[in-house]
Amino acid sequence: DTAVSQTPKYLVTQMGNDKSIKCEQNLGHDTMYWYKQDSKKFLKIMFSYNNKELIINETVPNRFSPKSPDKAHLNLHINSLELGDSAVYFCASSLRGTGVNYGYTFGSGTRLTVV
Amino acid sequence: DAKTTQPPSMDCAEGRAANLPCNHSTISGNEYVYWYRQIHSQGPQYIIHGLKNNETNEMASLIITEDRKSSTLILPHATLRDTAVYYCIVRLSSGNTPLVFGKGTRLSVIA
């Protein structure tokens, strides 16, 4: 199936640990994103990569480090996890093409719980 | 910050049309209106977008006022599966501007 897939779907970990979330899209899109949805259900952009190049880096602690090995993958590594990092993280992709912004396709989310 | 204003919640009877309003009085000439929805525990789903003409696809219709300061998303025959949070987003047609989500409207379709 063509989609944006994230792994794992659920992640429970202790404070201070380091963890990674992986995202892959097979839609042929050239731009990928990470969004965070907190307990109040606000969706906030964290990062965006276009053809492996970081183009958006919102005010996010530097414990969060995105990595894009190719334009089909965008992983999120989080160091020294804190309780406040508990949230649902969504990966998304889109096709910027010749500059026109098309719709985003979102993954199903990774629910991170830090205990 | 989101550039749109939406009612926090709405109800709609199953089988009836759901009309979801959105105000975007500060929209600029090169900004599109996008609609997404998020069904509980799922990722947001693209519905439709438009610039100034009315648009229709298999999911919904988008009606944009002539002055472009407001729009309405219409789900012609709402079903229980349409219960979700609906987001109206204003965004430039090109460039690096990402989708910025506001609080949206929680639509409850009632049997």
Side-chain angles (χ1 to χ4, degrees):
Chain A
D1 289 345
T2 56
V4 177
S5 56
Q6 298 179 227
T7 54
K9 189 171 177 63
Y10 300 96
L11 184 55
V12 180
T13 187
Q14 291 186 326
M15 284 176 53
N17 283 350
D18 303 338
K19 290 293 179 185
S20 293
I21 306 172
K22 295 185 176 181
C23 180
E24 175 182 7
Q25 56 92 6
N26 61 4
L27 299 164
H29 289 170
D30 56 8
T31 306
M32 297 184 72
Y33 313 83
W34 278 111
Y35 279 80
K36 178 181 179 181
Q37 187 167 40
D38 59 24
S39 57
K40 295 182 179 178
K41 303 299 184 183
F42 292 128
L43 266 164
K44 292 185 179 179
I45 180 78
M46 299 174 68
F47 302 103
S48 174
Y49 272 74
N50 176 254
N51 284 319
K52 302 194 299 176
E53 178 186 351
L54 181 66
I55 56 172
I56 293 174
N57 185 352
E58 292 295 312
T59 306
V60 175
N62 57 16
R63 298 181 295 103
F64 290 77
S65 54
K67 285 187 172 53
S68 182
D70 55 61
K71 68 177 185 179
H73 295 83
L74 180 61
N75 303 323
L76 183 64
H77 188 76
I78 315 170
N79 289 327
S80 304
L81 278 155
E82 300 177 357
L83 293 177
D85 298 331
S86 296
V88 181
Y89 293 84
F90 288 99
C91 178
S93 71
S94 70
L95 181 64
R96 287 194 61 215
T98 54
V100 176
N101 285 323
Y102 294 91
Y104 288 21
T105 301
F106 282 81
S108 56
T110 295
R111 182 174 295 276
L112 172 65
T113 304
V114 182
V115 297
Chain B
D1 291 334
K3 300 181 183 180
T4 62
T5 305
Q6 299 178 252
S9 63
M10 291 182 63
D11 291 339
C12 177
E14 188 178 20
R16 305 297 292 267
N19 297 286
L20 292 95
C22 179
N23 285 324
H24 32 79
S25 58
T26 61
I27 192 170
S28 62
N30 57 353
E31 288 182 316
Y32 280 70
V33 180
Y34 288 80
W35 282 85
Y36 282 75
R37 73 179 183 183
Q38 186 175 24
I39 296 171
H40 180 63
S41 298
Q42 298 182 19
Q45 177 188 22
Y46 166 81
I47 301 173
I48 200 167
H49 74 283
L51 182 63
K52 53 184 177 181
N53 296 324
N54 297 338
E55 302 287 345
T56 295
N57 63 20
E58 65 278 5
M59 289 182 68
S61 295
L62 174 60
I63 309 298
I64 303 174
T65 58
E66 194 169 343
D67 63 6
R68 300 187 70 238
K69 292 186 177 182
S70 65
S71 60
T72 301
L73 179 75
I74 301 173
L75 307 179
H77 305 286
T79 71
L80 298 178
R81 287 178 293 181
D82 292 321
T83 293
V85 178
Y86 287 77
Y87 297 96
C88 170
I89 301 169
V90 164
R91 179 169 175 245
L92 288 171
S93 60
S94 62
N96 294 330
T97 310
L99 283 176
V100 176
F101 289 83
K103 298 180 182 180
T105 295
R106 180 172 297 278
L107 175 69
S108 298
V109 180
I110 303 167

